[in-house]
Amino acid sequence: MQSLNSFEPAIDAHTRAAGILREVGNQREEGKALYNLARALACAGRQQQAIDVYNRAASLLHDAV
């Protein structure tokens, strides 16, 4: 099993990606980046934070349709 700290680079990358996509106004891709961030957070054992991020992603993806 992977160390929980091994997910930090993925968490950082998806956080940066979501921020950049938010800046350029691309809701659909920001939602995808947040979804990936939520998965990385869940794998790192940060379930409540993952749920919060997933809900934000779902909202963005719903609004972007």
Side-chain angles (χ1 to χ4, degrees):
M1 183 171 163
Q2 288 184 321
S3 162
L4 296 182
N5 288 335
S6 68
F7 292 100
E8 289 305 316
I11 291 169
D12 291 342
H14 293 305
T15 300
R16 284 193 311 273
I20 291 167
L21 292 163
R22 184 178 312 114
E23 286 179 21
V24 299
N26 190 331
Q27 275 190 327
R28 183 172 184 80
E29 294 302 317
E30 179 188 355
K32 290 178 184 179
L34 288 173
Y35 174 75
N36 290 331
L37 173 58
R39 291 178 59 201
L41 287 166
C43 289
R46 295 158 59 179
Q47 279 75 19
Q48 187 55 54
Q49 193 175 7
I51 291 167
D52 296 340
V53 171
Y54 179 83
N55 287 336
R56 172 77 174 128
S59 175
L60 281 173
L61 290 171
H62 180 268
D63 292 345
V65 173

